[in-house]
Amino acid sequence: MVKSNVAEIASIISESSRAAILTVLMDGRFHTASELASMAGIKPQTASFHLSKMQEAGIIAQQKQGRHRYYGIVNNEVANVMESLLFLAPPVKISSLKQSTQDKAIRYARTCYDHLAGKAGVTVTDALLKAGYLKDEQETFLVTERGISFFNELGIDLEKTGKKRRSFSMRCLDWSERRHHLAGSLGNALLERFIELGWMLRVPQNRAVKITEEGITGFMRTFGIDLSLEEER
Amino acid sequence: MVKSNVAEIASIISESSRAAILTVLMDGRFHTASELASMAGIKPQTASFHLSKMQEAGIIAQQKQGRHRYYGIVNNEVANVMESLLFLAPPVKISSLKQSTQDKAIRYARTCYDHLAGKAGVTVTDALLKAGYLKDEQETFLVTERGISFFNELGIDLEKTGKKRRSFSMRCLDWSERRHHLAGSLGNALLERFIELGWMLRVPQNRAVKITEEGITGFMRTFGIDLSLEEER
DNA sequence: GGAATTCTTCGATGTTCATCGAAGTATGGA
DNA sequence: TCCATACTTCGATGAACATCGAAGAATTCC
C-alpha cells in the first residue's frame, strides 16, 4: 500500500481560488495579498486563509514590506508542477479588469519609505548593477571597488553613510515593478542626492516623485538611462 | 480574473485513493480494477467510482478484457504532472503485502481463451517482434513477409488461419505481465502448434500450461529464448 | 496621537464529496 | 444452465472544507 504526499500537494492546488493565485504567481514575481484576492475573485480574508495555507505547505513564500505582504512561488519544483498542469489543462481567461490609468505617475517614480522606488528606482538600480558599481548578493547589494569611487564622484560620502559595506545597501521589493531595487541607507543617500542635484522633486500630496528636465539629462549622462515618460507608453 | 481547469485536474489527484492509484499506474503498465483497489486500500466499489471519475476526466484509459478491466495512464502529459508531483513530494511506502507465491505457474504460462499468455506468451511475442516476423501496429500485430515464411516453416498454414493478415493477429493485454501478447487466430494457431509439437502440455485443473523439456530446447532453437523456470527466481 | 490601509484570526454556515452496503450486469468455466 | 468472479450503479451516511462577516493586529501617513 502506498500513501502519498502527492495528494496533499494536489489538494492545495485543487481549490479553484488557490489554483488561480498560483497561476498568477507563475509570472515569477511577487504579488500583494489584496491583489491576489481581487484576481482570484475572493474577499481578502479568504485569500489570507489560502495564502497562509499554501505557505504552510511550503509552496509559496512571503516577504513582508511595511503593511504589504508579498507572496511568490517558492522554488522551481513547485513551478514545474504548475507548468505541467497548465500544459495539460490551460486556464481560460474570463475577462480583463479595466486598467486603472490613474496612478501612472506613482508607479513611475515614488518614494518607498526613504528611497527611490517605481520604474525609476528599478531602472537606476539596474544601471548600477550593469555598470558594476553594485553586485547582487544574497539578500543585499554589495558596493564594488568601482562603485566606491563612482558614489564619491556623485557626491555621496560612503564613510558617513554607513560603517559596513554590506549593511547599508539593501534590496527592496518593488510593488509596481515587482523587482528589487536599492534601499537601505545607500538608497536613502542616493535619493537625497538626486533631490539635492535638482534631478527630482517630491510631490507634496502623495509619494510620487517628479523627474525634472535636469534630471532626465543628468540620468542619461551619469547612468546612461532614459527616464523621460515617453517609454512608459 | 483567471479561471482554471488546472484546479479540476488537481482536484482529481488530490484525493488520496486516486493519488495512490495514479502512483501505481506510473509504472506505465495496465492494472485491473480490483488490484488497484487493494493497493489503494479501498473497497472495489470505491475504486470503481474513482476509476470512472478519472476516466471521465481523461487522465486514465480503460481496456476491457473478458471480465477484467485494465486501467492505465492515458498519455505523457498526465505522466509529467505525476512525475513533477512525485518529485516535489515523494510517496511513502507503508507496507508490502505478502507476496502470494502460490500461483507462479499460472503466471508463468497459461492459456488466455485460446492462446498462450503469461510470461511465456509475452516472451514469445517479443521474440517474434524482435526477429521482424511481426510488426507492432495500432491495435494489432501485422505479419511481415519474413514472418509469412517463418510461420510456414514452423508448420502453420497462414492461408487456413485467416483470410486477411490484419484481422487474424491481435494484441491481448496480459494480466500478469501487463504487456501485450499475441492473440487472435494466429495466437491460437501458435498455441495449438506448440502443443502438437509436444513443447507444451495443458494442465487439466486450471489454465496453466506446462513447458516440456522438448519445449525448452525447441523455443531456444527456434526463437532464441529461454523458457526454463530458472529465470523466474 | 489619530485616521486610514493592509492583512490577519475567529466563528458560523452551507455545500461538496468519499465511503461502503446492497443490489445489478457481464463474463468465464464446468 | 448454473455458479463464481469481476466490476458496476445506487443510495445513505458522515466528515472535511471554502466562504465571508466581524473584529483584531500592524503599519503608514498627516
Side-chain angles (χ1 to χ4, degrees), chain A residues 138-153:
Chain A
Q138 313 265 22
E139 294 298 310
T140 62
F141 290 122
L142 181 65
V143 182
T144 63
E145 290 299 319
R146 293 177 58 196
I148 293 174
S149 49
F150 171 80
F151 285 117
N152 274 331
E153 271 180 43

Side-chain angles (χ1 to χ4, degrees), chain A residues 67-187:
Chain A
R67 54 184 166 190
H68 292 278
R69 303 202 188 178
Y70 288 85
Y71 290 92
I73 286 177
V74 84
N75 62 26
N76 208 257
E77 281 71 44
V78 176
N80 277 345
V81 172
M82 283 305 294
E83 207 169 285
S84 61
L85 278 168
L86 286 165
F87 188 81
L88 180 61
V92 192
K93 291 232 182 231
I94 300 247
S95 76
S96 67
L97 294 170
K98 77 172 172 188
Q99 196 84 317
S100 110
T101 52
Q102 193 87 318
D103 52 0
K104 256 188 197 167
I106 209 164
R107 279 170 186 272
Y108 189 65
R110 68 176 176 282
T111 55
C112 174
Y113 308 95
D114 57 355
H115 58 271
L116 186 63
K119 186 163 181 61
V122 170
T123 307
V124 168
T125 305
D126 277 356
L128 288 169
L129 283 166
K130 212 169 202 168
Y133 302 145
L134 290 182
K135 234 178 79 186
D136 214 335
E137 183 136 324
Q138 313 265 22
E139 294 298 310
T140 62
F141 290 122
L142 181 65
V143 182
T144 63
E145 290 299 319
R146 293 177 58 196
I148 293 174
S149 49
F150 171 80
F151 285 117
N152 274 331
E153 271 180 43
L154 195 64
I156 294 173
D157 187 356
L158 288 179
E159 303 295 325
K160 229 174 61 186
T161 306
K163 321 138 257 324
K164 301 198 210 80
R165 275 195 214 165
R166 281 181 174 281
S167 67
F168 66 22
S169 134
M170 284 172 49
R171 308 196 323 179
C172 178
L173 197 55
D174 202 297
W175 68 264
S176 59
E177 293 295 309
R178 277 51 181 281
R179 294 179 45 203
H180 287 281
H181 57 245
L182 183 61
S185 56
L186 181 56

